[in-house]
Short mmCIF file of all heavy atoms in Angstrom, two decimals:
data_model
loop_
_atom_site.label_atom_id
_atom_site.label_comp_id
_atom_site.label_asym_id
_atom_site.label_seq_id
_atom_site.Cartn_x
_atom_site.Cartn_y
_atom_site.Cartn_z
N ALA A 276 -0.86 10.07 1.18
CA ALA A 276 -0.51 9.03 0.21
C ALA A 276 -1.51 9.00 -0.94
O ALA A 276 -1.16 8.81 -2.09
CB ALA A 276 -0.48 7.67 0.89
N VAL A 277 -2.79 9.17 -0.62
CA VAL A 277 -3.84 9.22 -1.64
C VAL A 277 -4.57 10.53 -1.49
O VAL A 277 -5.15 10.81 -0.45
CB VAL A 277 -4.84 8.05 -1.48
CG1 VAL A 277 -5.90 8.12 -2.54
CG2 VAL A 277 -4.11 6.73 -1.55
N SER A 278 -4.53 11.35 -2.52
CA SER A 278 -5.20 12.64 -2.43
C SER A 278 -6.70 12.45 -2.56
O SER A 278 -7.18 11.58 -3.28
CB SER A 278 -4.70 13.58 -3.54
OG SER A 278 -4.98 13.03 -4.81
N ALA A 279 -7.46 13.27 -1.84
CA ALA A 279 -8.91 13.26 -1.98
C ALA A 279 -9.28 13.94 -3.28
O ALA A 279 -8.79 15.02 -3.60
CB ALA A 279 -9.55 14.00 -0.80
N LEU A 280 -10.15 13.30 -4.05
CA LEU A 280 -10.54 13.85 -5.33
C LEU A 280 -11.71 14.80 -5.14
O LEU A 280 -12.83 14.39 -4.92
CB LEU A 280 -10.94 12.74 -6.30
CG LEU A 280 -9.81 11.78 -6.67
CD1 LEU A 280 -10.30 10.74 -7.64
CD2 LEU A 280 -8.65 12.54 -7.26
N GLY A 281 -11.43 16.09 -5.22
CA GLY A 281 -12.50 17.05 -5.09
C GLY A 281 -12.78 17.38 -3.64
O GLY A 281 -12.13 16.93 -2.72
N GLY A 282 -13.81 18.17 -3.43
CA GLY A 282 -14.17 18.57 -2.09
C GLY A 282 -13.26 19.67 -1.56
O GLY A 282 -12.27 20.02 -2.17
N VAL A 283 -13.63 20.21 -0.42
CA VAL A 283 -12.89 21.32 0.16
C VAL A 283 -12.74 21.10 1.65
O VAL A 283 -13.70 20.86 2.36
CB VAL A 283 -13.65 22.65 -0.09
CG1 VAL A 283 -12.96 23.77 0.67
CG2 VAL A 283 -13.69 22.97 -1.57
N ASP A 284 -11.51 21.16 2.10
CA ASP A 284 -11.22 21.15 3.52
C ASP A 284 -10.40 22.40 3.79
O ASP A 284 -9.17 22.38 3.72
CB ASP A 284 -10.44 19.88 3.89
CG ASP A 284 -10.10 19.82 5.37
OD1 ASP A 284 -10.61 20.67 6.13
OD2 ASP A 284 -9.33 18.94 5.77
N PRO A 285 -11.06 23.54 4.08
CA PRO A 285 -10.35 24.82 4.16
C PRO A 285 -9.33 24.88 5.29
O PRO A 285 -8.45 25.73 5.29
CB PRO A 285 -11.47 25.84 4.37
CG PRO A 285 -12.62 25.06 4.91
CD PRO A 285 -12.51 23.70 4.30
N ILE A 286 -9.44 23.98 6.25
CA ILE A 286 -8.50 23.99 7.38
C ILE A 286 -7.25 23.17 7.07
O ILE A 286 -6.27 23.21 7.80
CB ILE A 286 -9.20 23.47 8.65
CG1 ILE A 286 -10.52 24.22 8.87
CG2 ILE A 286 -8.34 23.64 9.87
CD1 ILE A 286 -10.36 25.73 8.99
N ALA A 287 -7.27 22.41 5.96
CA ALA A 287 -6.15 21.52 5.66
C ALA A 287 -4.83 22.26 5.58
O ALA A 287 -3.80 21.77 6.03
CB ALA A 287 -6.43 20.77 4.36
N ALA A 288 -4.84 23.47 5.00
CA ALA A 288 -3.61 24.22 4.83
C ALA A 288 -3.04 24.71 6.15
O ALA A 288 -1.89 25.16 6.22
CB ALA A 288 -3.84 25.42 3.90
N LEU A 289 -3.83 24.63 7.22
CA LEU A 289 -3.37 25.11 8.52
C LEU A 289 -2.78 24.01 9.37
O LEU A 289 -2.22 24.27 10.43
CB LEU A 289 -4.54 25.75 9.28
CG LEU A 289 -5.36 26.80 8.54
CD1 LEU A 289 -6.45 27.34 9.44
CD2 LEU A 289 -4.46 27.93 8.06
N ARG A 290 -2.91 22.75 8.92
CA ARG A 290 -2.43 21.63 9.71
C ARG A 290 -0.92 21.45 9.49
O ARG A 290 -0.49 21.27 8.35
CB ARG A 290 -3.17 20.35 9.34
CG ARG A 290 -4.66 20.40 9.63
CD ARG A 290 -5.30 19.03 9.46
NE ARG A 290 -6.74 19.11 9.65
CZ ARG A 290 -7.62 19.03 8.67
NH1 ARG A 290 -7.22 18.85 7.42
NH2 ARG A 290 -8.91 19.11 8.91
N PRO A 291 -0.11 21.47 10.54
CA PRO A 291 1.33 21.28 10.36
C PRO A 291 1.65 19.94 9.70
O PRO A 291 1.04 18.91 10.01
CB PRO A 291 1.86 21.34 11.79
CG PRO A 291 0.87 22.17 12.53
CD PRO A 291 -0.46 21.79 11.93
N ARG A 292 2.61 19.98 8.78
CA ARG A 292 3.01 18.80 8.03
C ARG A 292 4.52 18.63 8.14
O ARG A 292 5.26 19.61 8.09
CB ARG A 292 2.59 18.95 6.57
CG ARG A 292 2.75 17.70 5.73
CD ARG A 292 2.31 17.95 4.30
NE ARG A 292 2.26 16.71 3.55
CZ ARG A 292 2.13 16.64 2.22
NH1 ARG A 292 2.04 17.75 1.51
NH2 ARG A 292 2.10 15.49 1.61
N SER A 293 4.96 17.39 8.25
CA SER A 293 6.39 17.12 8.35
C SER A 293 6.92 16.59 7.02
O SER A 293 6.20 15.95 6.26
CB SER A 293 6.67 16.10 9.46
OG SER A 293 6.31 16.63 10.72
N TYR A 294 8.20 16.84 6.76
CA TYR A 294 8.84 16.46 5.51
C TYR A 294 10.11 15.65 5.82
O TYR A 294 10.86 15.98 6.75
CB TYR A 294 9.19 17.71 4.69
CG TYR A 294 7.96 18.53 4.37
CD1 TYR A 294 7.55 19.55 5.24
CD2 TYR A 294 7.20 18.27 3.24
CE1 TYR A 294 6.41 20.29 4.96
CE2 TYR A 294 6.07 19.01 2.96
CZ TYR A 294 5.67 20.01 3.83
OH TYR A 294 4.53 20.74 3.56
N TYR A 295 10.33 14.61 5.02
CA TYR A 295 11.40 13.66 5.29
C TYR A 295 12.17 13.32 4.01
O TYR A 295 11.62 13.39 2.91
CB TYR A 295 10.84 12.35 5.86
CG TYR A 295 9.92 12.48 7.03
CD1 TYR A 295 8.54 12.66 6.83
CD2 TYR A 295 10.40 12.42 8.33
CE1 TYR A 295 7.67 12.77 7.92
CE2 TYR A 295 9.54 12.52 9.42
CZ TYR A 295 8.18 12.71 9.20
OH TYR A 295 7.32 12.81 10.27
N LYS A 296 13.41 12.89 4.21
CA LYS A 296 14.11 12.15 3.16
C LYS A 296 13.85 10.67 3.40
O LYS A 296 14.08 10.16 4.51
CB LYS A 296 15.61 12.44 3.19
CG LYS A 296 16.03 13.63 2.35
CD LYS A 296 17.54 13.68 2.20
CE LYS A 296 17.96 14.81 1.28
NZ LYS A 296 19.43 14.86 1.09
N PHE A 297 13.36 10.00 2.36
CA PHE A 297 13.06 8.57 2.45
C PHE A 297 14.19 7.81 1.79
O PHE A 297 14.49 8.04 0.61
CB PHE A 297 11.73 8.27 1.77
CG PHE A 297 11.27 6.84 1.89
CD1 PHE A 297 10.45 6.44 2.92
CD2 PHE A 297 11.67 5.88 0.96
CE1 PHE A 297 10.02 5.13 3.03
CE2 PHE A 297 11.25 4.57 1.05
CZ PHE A 297 10.43 4.19 2.10
N ASN A 298 14.84 6.93 2.54
CA ASN A 298 15.95 6.13 2.02
C ASN A 298 15.37 4.94 1.26
O ASN A 298 14.74 4.06 1.85
CB ASN A 298 16.84 5.65 3.16
CG ASN A 298 18.10 4.96 2.68
OD1 ASN A 298 18.03 3.99 1.92
ND2 ASN A 298 19.25 5.45 3.11
N LEU A 299 15.57 4.91 -0.05
CA LEU A 299 14.96 3.89 -0.90
C LEU A 299 15.51 2.50 -0.60
O LEU A 299 14.79 1.51 -0.67
CB LEU A 299 15.17 4.25 -2.36
CG LEU A 299 14.48 5.54 -2.83
CD1 LEU A 299 15.03 5.98 -4.19
CD2 LEU A 299 12.98 5.35 -2.92
N GLU A 300 16.78 2.42 -0.29
CA GLU A 300 17.39 1.11 -0.06
C GLU A 300 16.98 0.52 1.29
O GLU A 300 16.68 -0.66 1.41
CB GLU A 300 18.91 1.23 -0.12
CG GLU A 300 19.63 -0.10 0.10
CD GLU A 300 21.13 0.02 0.03
OE1 GLU A 300 21.63 1.13 -0.22
OE2 GLU A 300 21.82 -1.00 0.24
N LYS A 301 16.89 1.36 2.31
CA LYS A 301 16.64 0.88 3.67
C LYS A 301 15.17 0.96 4.07
O LYS A 301 14.76 0.32 5.04
CB LYS A 301 17.49 1.66 4.66
CG LYS A 301 18.99 1.50 4.45
CD LYS A 301 19.77 2.34 5.44
CE LYS A 301 21.27 2.21 5.22
NZ LYS A 301 22.04 3.06 6.17
N GLY A 302 14.38 1.79 3.35
CA GLY A 302 12.99 1.96 3.75
C GLY A 302 12.85 2.74 5.04
O GLY A 302 11.93 2.51 5.83
N THR A 303 13.76 3.69 5.28
CA THR A 303 13.72 4.51 6.49
C THR A 303 13.54 5.97 6.09
O THR A 303 13.80 6.35 4.95
CB THR A 303 15.00 4.35 7.31
OG1 THR A 303 16.14 4.71 6.49
CG2 THR A 303 15.16 2.92 7.80
N LYS A 304 13.15 6.79 7.04
CA LYS A 304 12.96 8.21 6.77
C LYS A 304 13.71 9.04 7.80
O LYS A 304 13.86 8.63 8.96
CB LYS A 304 11.47 8.56 6.78
CG LYS A 304 10.78 8.33 8.10
CD LYS A 304 9.30 8.68 8.06
CE LYS A 304 8.69 8.50 9.47
NZ LYS A 304 7.28 8.85 9.53
N SER A 305 14.19 10.21 7.38
CA SER A 305 14.86 11.13 8.28
C SER A 305 14.23 12.51 8.11
O SER A 305 13.98 12.96 7.00
CB SER A 305 16.37 11.20 7.98
OG SER A 305 16.60 11.55 6.63
N LEU A 306 13.96 13.17 9.22
CA LEU A 306 13.25 14.44 9.21
C LEU A 306 14.09 15.55 8.59
O LEU A 306 15.27 15.71 8.91
CB LEU A 306 12.86 14.82 10.65
CG LEU A 306 12.06 16.10 10.81
CD1 LEU A 306 10.65 15.93 10.24
CD2 LEU A 306 11.98 16.49 12.30
N ILE A 307 13.46 16.30 7.68
CA ILE A 307 14.09 17.49 7.10
C ILE A 307 13.52 18.74 7.74
O ILE A 307 14.25 19.65 8.14
CB ILE A 307 13.86 17.55 5.58
CG1 ILE A 307 14.66 16.46 4.88
CG2 ILE A 307 14.24 18.91 5.02
CD1 ILE A 307 14.46 16.46 3.39
N LEU A 308 12.21 18.80 7.86
CA LEU A 308 11.54 20.00 8.35
C LEU A 308 10.20 19.60 8.95
O LEU A 308 9.45 18.83 8.34
CB LEU A 308 11.33 20.99 7.19
CG LEU A 308 10.72 22.34 7.55
CD1 LEU A 308 11.71 23.19 8.35
CD2 LEU A 308 10.32 23.09 6.27
N ARG A 309 9.92 20.11 10.12
CA ARG A 309 8.63 19.85 10.76
C ARG A 309 7.80 21.14 10.73
O ARG A 309 8.26 22.20 11.15
CB ARG A 309 8.83 19.40 12.20
CG ARG A 309 7.55 18.87 12.86
CD ARG A 309 7.79 18.47 14.31
NE ARG A 309 8.84 17.48 14.47
CZ ARG A 309 8.65 16.18 14.28
NH1 ARG A 309 7.46 15.72 13.90
NH2 ARG A 309 9.66 15.33 14.46
N GLY A 310 6.59 21.02 10.20
CA GLY A 310 5.70 22.17 10.17
C GLY A 310 5.34 22.63 11.57
O GLY A 310 5.26 21.84 12.51
N THR A 311 5.14 23.94 11.70
CA THR A 311 4.78 24.54 12.98
C THR A 311 3.43 25.25 12.83
O THR A 311 2.91 25.40 11.73
CB THR A 311 5.84 25.55 13.43
OG1 THR A 311 5.85 26.65 12.50
CG2 THR A 311 7.21 24.91 13.48
N LEU A 312 2.89 25.72 13.94
CA LEU A 312 1.65 26.47 13.87
C LEU A 312 1.84 27.76 13.07
O LEU A 312 0.92 28.22 12.40
CB LEU A 312 1.14 26.77 15.28
CG LEU A 312 0.66 25.56 16.10
CD1 LEU A 312 0.27 25.99 17.51
CD2 LEU A 312 -0.51 24.87 15.40
N GLN A 313 3.05 28.33 13.14
CA GLN A 313 3.30 29.57 12.40
C GLN A 313 3.53 29.29 10.92
O GLN A 313 3.00 29.99 10.06
CB GLN A 313 4.51 30.30 12.97
CG GLN A 313 4.79 31.63 12.26
CD GLN A 313 6.01 32.35 12.79
OE1 GLN A 313 6.80 31.77 13.57
NE2 GLN A 313 6.20 33.59 12.38
N PHE A 314 4.33 28.25 10.62
CA PHE A 314 4.61 27.86 9.24
C PHE A 314 4.21 26.40 9.08
O PHE A 314 5.05 25.50 9.14
CB PHE A 314 6.09 28.04 8.92
CG PHE A 314 6.58 29.46 9.00
CD1 PHE A 314 7.42 29.84 10.05
CD2 PHE A 314 6.19 30.40 8.07
CE1 PHE A 314 7.87 31.14 10.15
CE2 PHE A 314 6.65 31.72 8.16
CZ PHE A 314 7.47 32.09 9.21
#
């Protein structure tokens, strides 16, 4: 939600991240893609 200004976390790109569609009217989220160890 808030990006860190500066600095380096070289492992950050390896941490799986999930992606969602956020419903603006309802304030709910639905999963589109879940990051894996491979991707």
